[in-house]
Amino acid sequence: MAAPPAIPRRGLFIGGGWREPTLGRRIPVINPATEDTIGDIPAATAEDVELAVAAARSAFLLDGGSRWARASGATRAKYLNAIAAKIKEKISYLALLETVDSGKPKDEAVADMDDVAACFEYYAALAEALDGKQHAPISLPMEEFKTYVLKEPIGVVGLITPWNYPLLMATWKVAPALAAGCTAVLKPSELASLTCLELGAICEEIGLPSGVLNIITGLGPDAGAPIASHPHVDKIAFTGSTATGKTIMTAAAQMVKPVSLELGGKSPLVIFDDVADIDKAVEWAMFGCFFNGGQVCSATSRLLLHEKIAERFLDRLVEWAKNIKISDPLEEGCRLGSVISKGQYEKIKKFISTARSEGATILHGGDRPKNLGKGFFIEPTIITGVSTSMQIWREEVFGPVICVKVFKTESEAVELANDTHYGLAGGVISDDLERCERIAKVIHSGIVWINCSQPTLVQAPWGGNKRSGFGRELGEWGLENYLSVKQVTRYCKDELYGWYQRPSKL
Ligand SMILES: NC(=O)c1ccc[n+]([C@@H]2O[C@H](COP(=O)([O-])OP(=O)(O)OC[C@H]3O[C@@H](n4cnc5c(N)ncnc54)[C@H](O)[C@@H]3O)[C@@H](O)[C@H]2O)c1
Ligand SMILES: C[N+](C)(C)CC=O
């Protein structure tokens, strides 16, 4: 088993340096796999947010913006590539920190850190490409005007992120925001902030200009809310629960501040009877809801099985689920770690007991694994006998819990797939590709996977519809989130425009 890493004691990262929170408060860091307190993080309040926003604003405006906001994209790209290089250099350490902070298996944390570095590199390339996209001419049907477009950074952005992929979800915002020329205040989740604070240390090491990225840790209402309502924060990008998303949108609305919201989900995975290889489909169903302990916004937690394969499929699913290595996430080969916190553990247990009391069947799991007396571990859980009015069908669990329904026809499958207020993702597994394409068009979601579940590609747009939020991260859409489009129009004839009559010369 890998040795647990040393936990650094960090302050808030503001204006390129470290400072203790104004009120001196700190929040304990608990390793969810052992329940041990392993360190603490600063608990920022509105006073610290003031300092961070002021640092970000002055970095945005410094020297007329020539140091950052109006520097060439190529200049900013050098910093983003330098951050990526440092992440790669420290990958094992960062992955171990993420593991003990979040409870996710070490192998998953390593993959997350790879994705973090790749995301910084990707947006470095887009920052460079942005230089060539400035002054793009607009074709006009007249000659007296010439128009071109500038893409400018929105300003100071507030980035508020969740705990399930702590550094990766922060990176999905930080990398494009900095590539665009914005300056930022990042507020990661109080439940997992360690790697985000290390990002501050990396920015310091590579010499990122002071104030370009500020990192404030603390509770949502104390440190997140003042960012959302701050008059000098020009945009909020938020990933988290639908409930918090609504609060943030309400606060931002008071200043007509733009927001992008990546919220929760209850995504379907539809599996047809024509699949030749049942095990291949079973593995994707597992990946869709047990990866990261099911604490994935896009988890395909509603499994829809064609009646002809349902029994066979569920038998195999249970066999595969029994075979998952559940252990301390630092152990080699671990494939299911603990969930993030005691609160989340209890919430998931409550979802399972409510499903049981509403008449569903717990086909597999539902409890703490017998070999693990400590830590917030829950077995991979498969629930059948579900009706569409049950809580387990309607609400996001954010844990390793799949609920299953059986369908007879393609149209019934589509109706069930769309029977949700959410609209983040969905998947279909069938050997009939025409059918897959047909279903991809009619699932109401921002993402559809065919013959898989969960691949996340930095080049492709990510985001949802309905109560899963709006706006798209990743790809070129992720950069547009942080850019404002300005038209510049010039009158270019020597003559008068000629609308008003020239007064006679005296
Ligand atoms: N759509 C996506 O891409 C995506 C990705 C990851 C997670 N999520 C969603 O995130 C949720 C789980 O994450 P969570 O429990 O950290 O969510 P959460 O809403 O509890 O917290 C998210 C962030 O908001 C902050 N916050 C809380 N209250 C606040 C307030 N009043 N004002 C400002 N900030 C506040 C928290 O401190 C945290 O940093 C799930 O619903 C999941 O689906 C979505
Ligand atoms: C997209 N993903 C899976 C990395 C994070 C969503 O929770």
Side-chain angles (χ1 to χ4, degrees), residues 12-14 42-54 56-57 155-161 173-174 183-190 193 213-239 244 247-260 482:
L12 302 168
F13 186 66
I14 298 179
T45 51
E47 294 82 349
D48 306 301
V49 170
E50 273 310 319
L51 297 172
V53 173
R57 182 134 303 265
V156 173
V157 292
L159 314 176
I160 302 178
T161 55
K173 299 185 186 336
V174 170
T183 58
V185 178
L186 166 67
K187 210 297 281 173
S189 167
E190 60 277 21
S193 289
L213 177 63
N214 305 276
I215 303 169
I216 294 279
T217 55
L219 301 176
D222 295 349
I227 298 175
S229 61
H230 201 292
H232 293 148
V233 172
D234 302 301
K235 183 209 160 110
I236 297 291
F238 172 75
T239 298
T244 310
T247 309
I248 285 179
M249 201 172 165
T250 306
Q254 309 317 307
M255 270 154 280
V256 199
K257 187 181 294 192
V259 291
S260 45
Y482 300 98

Coordinates of all heavy atoms in Angstrom, one line a residue, residues 12-14 42-54 56-57 155-161 173-174 183-190 193 213-239 244 247-260 482:
L12 N -4.3 31.1 2.8 CA -5.0 31.4 1.6 C -4.0 32.0 0.6 O -3.1 32.7 0.9 CB -6.1 32.5 1.9 CG -7.1 32.1 3.0 CD1 -7.9 33.3 3.4 CD2 -8.0 31.0 2.4
F13 N -4.2 31.7 -0.7 CA -3.3 32.2 -1.8 C -3.9 33.4 -2.4 O -4.8 33.3 -3.2 CB -3.1 31.1 -2.8 CG -2.1 31.4 -3.8 CD1 -0.7 31.5 -3.5 CD2 -2.4 31.6 -5.2 CE1 0.3 31.9 -4.4 CE2 -1.4 31.9 -6.1 CZ -0.1 32.0 -5.7
I14 N -3.4 34.6 -2.0 CA -4.0 35.8 -2.4 C -2.8 36.8 -2.9 O -1.8 36.9 -2.2 CB -4.7 36.5 -1.2 CG1 -5.9 35.6 -0.8 CG2 -5.3 37.9 -1.7 CD1 -6.7 36.2 0.3
P42 N -7.5 26.7 5.6 CA -8.0 27.9 6.1 C -9.5 28.1 5.8 O -10.0 27.6 4.8 CB -7.3 29.0 5.3 CG -6.2 28.3 4.5 CD -6.5 26.8 4.5
A43 N -10.2 28.7 6.8 CA -11.7 29.0 6.6 C -11.8 30.5 6.3 O -11.9 31.3 7.2 CB -12.4 28.6 7.8
A44 N -11.9 30.8 5.0 CA -12.0 32.2 4.6 C -13.4 32.8 4.9 O -14.4 32.0 5.0 CB -11.7 32.4 3.1
T45 N -13.5 34.1 5.0 CA -14.7 34.7 5.2 C -14.8 35.9 4.2 O -13.8 36.2 3.5 CB -14.9 35.2 6.6 OG1 -13.7 36.0 7.0 CG2 -15.1 34.1 7.6
A46 N -15.8 36.7 4.3 CA -16.0 37.8 3.4 C -14.8 38.8 3.4 O -14.5 39.3 2.3 CB -17.3 38.6 3.8
E47 N -14.2 38.9 4.5 CA -13.0 39.8 4.6 C -11.9 39.4 3.7 O -11.3 40.2 3.0 CB -12.4 39.9 6.0 CG -13.4 40.5 7.1 CD -14.4 39.5 7.7 OE1 -14.6 38.4 7.1 OE2 -15.0 39.9 8.7
D48 N -11.7 38.0 3.6 CA -10.7 37.5 2.7 C -11.1 37.6 1.3 O -10.2 37.8 0.4 CB -10.4 36.0 3.1 CG -10.0 35.9 4.6 OD1 -9.1 36.6 5.1 OD2 -10.8 35.2 5.4
V49 N -12.4 37.4 1.0 CA -12.9 37.5 -0.3 C -12.6 38.9 -0.9 O -12.2 39.1 -2.0 CB -14.4 37.1 -0.4 CG1 -15.0 37.5 -1.8 CG2 -14.6 35.7 -0.1
E50 N -12.8 39.9 0.0 CA -12.5 41.3 -0.4 C -11.1 41.4 -0.9 O -10.8 42.0 -1.9 CB -12.7 42.3 0.8 CG -14.0 42.8 1.0 CD -14.7 43.4 -0.2 OE1 -14.1 44.1 -1.0 OE2 -15.9 43.1 -0.4
L51 N -10.2 40.8 -0.1 CA -8.7 40.9 -0.5 C -8.4 40.2 -1.8 O -7.7 40.7 -2.6 CB -7.9 40.3 0.7 CG -8.0 41.0 2.0 CD1 -7.2 40.2 3.1 CD2 -7.4 42.5 1.9
A52 N -9.0 39.0 -1.9 CA -8.8 38.2 -3.1 C -9.3 38.9 -4.4 O -8.7 38.9 -5.4 CB -9.4 36.8 -2.9
V53 N -10.5 39.5 -4.2 CA -11.1 40.1 -5.4 C -10.3 41.4 -5.7 O -10.0 41.7 -6.9 CB -12.6 40.5 -5.1 CG1 -13.2 41.3 -6.3 CG2 -13.4 39.2 -5.0
A54 N -9.9 42.1 -4.7 CA -9.0 43.3 -5.0 C -7.7 42.9 -5.7 O -7.3 43.6 -6.6 CB -8.7 44.0 -3.7
A56 N -7.3 40.2 -7.6 CA -7.6 39.8 -8.9 C -7.9 41.0 -9.8 O -7.5 41.1 -11.0 CB -8.8 38.9 -8.9
R57 N -8.6 42.0 -9.3 CA -8.9 43.2 -10.1 C -7.7 44.0 -10.4 O -7.5 44.4 -11.5 CB -10.0 44.1 -9.3 CG -10.4 45.3 -10.1 CD -11.9 45.6 -10.1 NE -12.7 44.5 -10.6 CZ -13.1 44.3 -11.9 NH1 -12.8 45.2 -12.8 NH2 -13.9 43.3 -12.2
G155 N -13.2 39.6 -17.4 CA -12.7 40.4 -16.3 C -12.3 39.5 -15.1 O -11.6 38.5 -15.3
V156 N -12.7 39.8 -13.9 CA -12.4 39.0 -12.7 C -13.5 38.0 -12.6 O -14.7 38.3 -12.7 CB -12.4 39.9 -11.5 CG1 -12.3 39.0 -10.2 CG2 -11.3 40.9 -11.5
V157 N -13.1 36.7 -12.6 CA -14.2 35.6 -12.5 C -14.1 34.9 -11.2 O -13.0 34.7 -10.6 CB -14.0 34.7 -13.7 CG1 -14.4 35.4 -15.0 CG2 -12.6 34.1 -13.8
G158 N -15.2 34.5 -10.7 CA -15.3 33.7 -9.5 C -15.6 32.3 -9.9 O -16.5 32.0 -10.6
L159 N -14.8 31.4 -9.4 CA -14.8 29.9 -9.8 C -15.1 29.1 -8.5 O -14.3 29.1 -7.6 CB -13.5 29.5 -10.4 CG -12.9 30.5 -11.5 CD1 -11.6 30.0 -12.0 CD2 -13.9 30.7 -12.7
I160 N -16.3 28.5 -8.5 CA -16.7 27.8 -7.3 C -16.9 26.3 -7.7 O -17.7 26.0 -8.6 CB -18.0 28.4 -6.7 CG1 -17.8 29.9 -6.4 CG2 -18.5 27.7 -5.4 CD1 -19.0 30.7 -5.9
T161 N -16.2 25.4 -7.0 CA -16.1 24.1 -7.5 C -16.4 23.0 -6.4 O -16.4 23.3 -5.2 CB -14.7 23.8 -8.1 OG1 -13.7 24.1 -7.1 CG2 -14.5 24.7 -9.3
K173 N -12.1 25.1 -15.0 CA -12.4 26.5 -15.0 C -11.2 27.4 -15.0 O -11.1 28.4 -15.8 CB -13.2 26.9 -13.8 CG -14.5 26.1 -13.7 CD -15.4 26.5 -12.5 CE -16.6 25.7 -12.3 NZ -17.2 25.0 -13.5
V174 N -10.2 27.1 -14.2 CA -9.0 27.9 -14.1 C -8.3 28.0 -15.5 O -7.9 29.1 -15.9 CB -8.0 27.4 -13.0 CG1 -6.7 28.1 -13.1 CG2 -8.6 27.5 -11.6
T183 N -8.7 37.2 -14.7 CA -8.0 36.9 -13.5 C -9.1 36.3 -12.6 O -10.3 36.4 -12.9 CB -7.4 38.1 -12.8 OG1 -8.4 39.1 -12.6 CG2 -6.3 38.7 -13.7
A184 N -8.7 35.5 -11.6 CA -9.7 34.6 -11.0 C -9.6 34.5 -9.5 O -8.5 34.6 -8.9 CB -9.6 33.2 -11.6
V185 N -10.7 34.2 -8.8 CA -10.8 33.8 -7.4 C -11.4 32.4 -7.5 O -12.6 32.3 -7.9 CB -11.6 34.8 -6.6 CG1 -11.6 34.2 -5.1 CG2 -11.0 36.2 -6.6
L186 N -10.6 31.4 -7.0 CA -11.1 30.0 -7.0 C -11.5 29.7 -5.6 O -10.8 29.9 -4.6 CB -10.0 29.1 -7.5 CG -10.2 27.6 -7.2 CD1 -11.4 27.0 -8.0 CD2 -8.9 26.8 -7.5
K187 N -12.7 29.1 -5.4 CA -13.2 28.6 -4.1 C -13.5 27.1 -4.3 O -14.6 26.8 -4.7 CB -14.4 29.4 -3.7 CG -14.6 29.6 -2.2 CD -14.8 28.3 -1.4 CE -16.2 27.7 -1.4 NZ -16.2 26.4 -0.7
P188 N -12.6 26.3 -3.9 CA -12.9 24.8 -4.0 C -13.8 24.4 -2.8 O -14.0 25.2 -1.9 CB -11.5 24.2 -3.9 CG -10.6 25.2 -3.3 CD -11.2 26.5 -3.5
S189 N -14.2 23.2 -2.9 CA -15.1 22.7 -1.8 C -14.3 22.5 -0.5 O -13.2 22.0 -0.5 CB -15.7 21.3 -2.2 OG -16.3 20.7 -1.0
E190 N -15.0 22.9 0.6 CA -14.4 22.7 1.9 C -14.1 21.3 2.3 O -13.3 20.9 3.2 CB -15.3 23.3 3.0 CG -16.7 22.7 3.1 CD -17.7 23.3 2.1 OE1 -17.3 23.8 1.1 OE2 -18.9 23.2 2.4
S193 N -9.9 20.4 -0.5 CA -9.2 21.6 -1.0 C -7.7 21.4 -1.1 O -7.1 22.3 -1.6 CB -9.5 22.8 -0.1 OG -10.8 23.2 -0.1
L213 N -4.3 34.4 -10.2 CA -5.1 33.3 -9.6 C -5.0 33.4 -8.1 O -3.9 33.4 -7.5 CB -4.7 31.9 -10.1 CG -5.5 30.8 -9.5 CD1 -6.9 30.8 -9.9 CD2 -4.9 29.4 -9.9
N214 N -6.2 33.6 -7.5 CA -6.2 33.6 -6.0 C -7.1 32.4 -5.5 O -8.1 32.1 -6.2 CB -6.9 34.9 -5.6 CG -6.2 36.1 -6.2 OD1 -5.2 36.6 -5.6 ND2 -6.6 36.6 -7.3
I215 N -6.6 31.8 -4.4 CA -7.4 30.6 -4.0 C -7.8 30.7 -2.6 O -7.0 30.9 -1.7 CB -6.5 29.3 -4.2 CG1 -6.0 29.3 -5.7 CG2 -7.2 28.1 -3.8 CD1 -4.9 28.3 -6.0
I216 N -9.1 30.7 -2.4 CA -9.7 30.9 -1.1 C -10.4 29.6 -0.7 O -11.3 29.2 -1.4 CB -10.9 32.0 -1.3 CG1 -10.3 33.3 -1.7 CG2 -11.8 32.1 -0.2 CD1 -9.8 34.1 -0.5
T217 N -10.1 29.1 0.5 CA -10.8 27.9 0.9 C -11.7 28.3 2.0 O -11.5 29.2 2.8 CB -9.8 26.8 1.4 OG1 -9.0 27.4 2.4 CG2 -8.9 26.3 0.3
G218 N -12.8 27.5 2.2 CA -13.8 27.8 3.3 C -15.1 27.3 2.9 O -15.4 26.7 1.9
L219 N -16.1 27.6 3.9 CA -17.4 27.1 3.7 C -18.2 27.9 2.6 O -17.9 29.0 2.4 CB -18.2 27.2 5.1 CG -17.5 26.5 6.2 CD1 -18.3 26.8 7.5 CD2 -17.5 25.0 6.0
G220 N -19.2 27.2 2.0 CA -19.9 27.8 1.0 C -20.5 29.2 1.3 O -20.3 30.2 0.7
P221 N -21.4 29.2 2.4 CA -22.0 30.5 2.7 C -21.0 31.5 3.2 O -21.3 32.7 2.9 CB -22.9 30.1 3.9 CG -23.1 28.6 3.8 CD -21.9 28.1 3.2
D222 N -19.9 31.2 3.8 CA -18.9 32.2 4.3 C -18.0 32.7 3.2 O -17.6 33.8 3.2 CB -18.0 31.6 5.4 CG -18.9 31.2 6.6 OD1 -20.0 31.6 6.7 OD2 -18.3 30.5 7.5
A223 N -17.5 31.8 2.3 CA -16.5 32.1 1.4 C -17.0 32.1 -0.1 O -16.4 32.8 -0.9 CB -15.3 31.2 1.5
G224 N -18.0 31.3 -0.4 CA -18.5 31.2 -1.7 C -19.5 32.3 -2.0 O -19.4 33.0 -3.0
A225 N -20.5 32.5 -1.1 CA -21.5 33.5 -1.3 C -21.0 34.9 -1.5 O -21.5 35.6 -2.4 CB -22.5 33.4 -0.1
P226 N -20.0 35.3 -0.7 CA -19.5 36.7 -1.0 C -18.8 36.8 -2.3 O -18.8 37.9 -2.9 CB -18.4 36.9 0.1 CG -18.7 35.8 1.1 CD -19.4 34.7 0.5
I227 N -18.3 35.7 -2.9 CA -17.8 35.8 -4.3 C -18.9 36.0 -5.3 O -18.9 36.9 -6.1 CB -17.0 34.6 -4.6 CG1 -15.8 34.4 -3.7 CG2 -16.5 34.6 -6.1 CD1 -15.0 33.1 -3.9
A228 N -20.0 35.2 -5.1 CA -21.1 35.3 -6.0 C -21.8 36.6 -6.0 O -22.2 37.1 -7.1 CB -22.1 34.2 -5.7
S229 N -21.8 37.3 -4.9 CA -22.5 38.6 -4.8 C -21.6 39.8 -4.9 O -22.0 40.9 -4.8 CB -23.3 38.6 -3.5 OG -22.4 38.6 -2.4
H230 N -20.3 39.5 -5.1 CA -19.4 40.7 -5.1 C -19.5 41.6 -6.4 O -19.5 41.1 -7.5 CB -17.9 40.1 -5.0 CG -17.0 41.2 -4.5 ND1 -16.7 42.3 -5.2 CD2 -16.3 41.3 -3.3 CE1 -15.8 43.1 -4.5 NE2 -15.6 42.5 -3.4
P231 N -19.7 42.9 -6.2 CA -19.9 43.7 -7.4 C -18.7 43.8 -8.3 O -18.8 44.2 -9.5 CB -20.1 45.1 -6.7 CG -19.7 45.0 -5.3 CD -19.7 43.6 -4.9
H232 N -17.5 43.4 -7.8 CA -16.3 43.5 -8.7 C -15.9 42.1 -9.3 O -14.8 42.0 -9.8 CB -15.1 44.1 -8.0 CG -15.4 45.6 -7.7 ND1 -14.8 46.2 -6.6 CD2 -16.1 46.5 -8.3 CE1 -15.3 47.5 -6.6 NE2 -16.0 47.7 -7.6
V233 N -16.8 41.2 -9.1 CA -16.6 39.9 -9.8 C -17.5 39.9 -11.0 O -18.7 40.1 -10.9 CB -16.9 38.7 -8.9 CG1 -16.9 37.4 -9.6 CG2 -15.9 38.6 -7.7
D234 N -17.0 39.7 -12.2 CA -17.7 40.0 -13.4 C -18.5 38.7 -14.0 O -19.3 38.9 -14.8 CB -16.7 40.5 -14.5 CG -16.0 41.7 -14.1 OD1 -16.7 42.7 -13.8 OD2 -14.8 41.7 -14.0
K235 N -18.1 37.6 -13.5 CA -18.8 36.4 -13.9 C -18.6 35.3 -12.9 O -17.5 35.2 -12.2 CB -18.2 35.9 -15.2 CG -18.9 34.6 -15.8 CD -18.1 33.7 -16.6 CE -18.8 32.4 -16.6 NZ -19.4 32.0 -17.9
I236 N -19.6 34.4 -12.7 CA -19.4 33.2 -11.8 C -19.5 32.0 -12.7 O -20.5 31.8 -13.5 CB -20.5 33.2 -10.8 CG1 -20.5 34.4 -9.8 CG2 -20.4 31.9 -9.9 CD1 -19.3 34.4 -8.9
A237 N -18.5 31.1 -12.5 CA -18.6 29.8 -13.1 C -18.7 28.8 -11.9 O -17.9 28.8 -11.0 CB -17.4 29.5 -13.9
F238 N -19.8 28.0 -11.9 CA -20.1 27.2 -10.7 C -20.3 25.7 -11.2 O -21.0 25.4 -12.1 CB -21.4 27.7 -10.0 CG -21.8 26.8 -8.9 CD1 -21.2 26.7 -7.7 CD2 -23.0 25.9 -9.2 CE1 -21.6 25.8 -6.7 CE2 -23.4 25.1 -8.2 CZ -22.7 25.0 -6.9
T239 N -19.7 24.8 -10.4 CA -20.1 23.4 -10.5 C -20.4 22.9 -9.1 O -19.7 23.1 -8.2 CB -18.9 22.6 -11.1 OG1 -18.6 23.0 -12.4 CG2 -19.2 21.1 -11.2
T244 N -27.5 24.7 -4.7 CA -26.5 25.8 -4.6 C -26.5 26.6 -5.9 O -26.4 27.8 -5.8 CB -25.1 25.2 -4.2 OG1 -25.2 24.3 -3.1 CG2 -24.2 26.4 -3.9
T247 N -29.1 29.2 -5.7 CA -28.7 30.3 -4.8 C -27.7 31.3 -5.5 O -27.8 32.5 -5.4 CB -28.0 29.7 -3.5 OG1 -28.9 28.7 -3.0 CG2 -27.8 30.8 -2.5
I248 N -26.7 30.7 -6.2 CA -25.7 31.5 -6.8 C -26.3 32.3 -8.0 O -26.0 33.5 -8.1 CB -24.6 30.6 -7.3 CG1 -23.8 30.1 -6.1 CG2 -23.7 31.2 -8.4 CD1 -22.6 29.2 -6.4
M249 N -27.2 31.7 -8.7 CA -27.9 32.4 -9.8 C -28.7 33.6 -9.3 O -28.7 34.7 -9.9 CB -28.8 31.4 -10.6 CG -29.1 31.8 -11.9 SD -29.9 30.5 -12.7 CE -30.6 31.3 -14.1
T250 N -29.4 33.4 -8.2 CA -30.2 34.5 -7.6 C -29.3 35.6 -7.1 O -29.6 36.8 -7.4 CB -30.9 33.9 -6.3 OG1 -31.7 32.8 -6.7 CG2 -31.9 34.9 -5.7
A251 N -28.1 35.3 -6.5 CA -27.2 36.3 -6.0 C -26.6 37.1 -7.3 O -26.6 38.3 -7.3 CB -26.1 35.7 -5.2
A252 N -26.2 36.4 -8.3 CA -25.6 37.0 -9.5 C -26.6 37.8 -10.2 O -26.3 38.9 -10.8 CB -25.1 35.9 -10.4
A253 N -27.9 37.4 -10.2 CA -28.9 38.1 -10.9 C -29.1 39.6 -10.4 O -29.4 40.5 -11.2 CB -30.3 37.4 -10.8
Q254 N -28.8 39.8 -9.2 CA -29.0 41.2 -8.6 C -28.1 42.1 -9.3 O -28.3 43.3 -9.4 CB -28.7 41.2 -7.1 CG -29.4 40.1 -6.3 CD -30.8 40.0 -6.7 OE1 -31.6 40.9 -6.7 NE2 -31.3 38.7 -7.0
M255 N -26.9 41.6 -9.9 CA -26.0 42.5 -10.6 C -26.0 42.2 -12.1 O -25.1 42.6 -12.8 CB -24.6 42.4 -10.0 CG -24.4 43.4 -8.9 SD -23.2 42.8 -7.8 CE -24.1 41.7 -6.9
V256 N -27.0 41.4 -12.6 CA -27.0 41.0 -14.0 C -25.6 40.4 -14.4 O -25.1 40.6 -15.4 CB -27.4 42.1 -14.9 CG1 -27.9 41.5 -16.2 CG2 -28.5 43.0 -14.3
K257 N -25.1 39.6 -13.4 CA -23.8 39.0 -13.6 C -23.9 37.7 -14.3 O -24.8 36.9 -13.9 CB -23.2 38.8 -12.2 CG -21.8 38.3 -12.2 CD -21.4 38.0 -10.7 CE -21.4 39.4 -9.9 NZ -20.7 39.2 -8.6
P258 N -23.2 37.4 -15.4 CA -23.4 36.2 -16.1 C -22.9 35.0 -15.2 O -22.0 35.1 -14.4 CB -22.5 36.3 -17.3 CG -21.6 37.5 -17.1 CD -22.2 38.3 -16.1
V259 N -23.6 33.9 -15.4 CA -23.2 32.7 -14.7 C -23.2 31.5 -15.7 O -23.9 31.5 -16.6 CB -24.2 32.3 -13.5 CG1 -24.2 33.3 -12.4 CG2 -25.6 32.2 -14.0
S260 N -22.3 30.5 -15.4 CA -22.4 29.2 -16.1 C -22.6 28.2 -15.0 O -21.9 28.3 -13.9 CB -21.3 28.9 -17.0 OG -20.1 29.2 -16.4
Y482 N -15.3 32.5 -21.0 CA -14.6 33.6 -20.3 C -14.2 34.8 -21.2 O -13.4 35.6 -20.9 CB -13.3 33.0 -19.7 CG -13.7 31.9 -18.7 CD1 -13.7 30.6 -19.0 CD2 -14.1 32.3 -17.4 CE1 -14.1 29.6 -18.2 CE2 -14.6 31.3 -16.5 CZ -14.5 30.0 -16.9 OH -14.9 29.0 -16.0

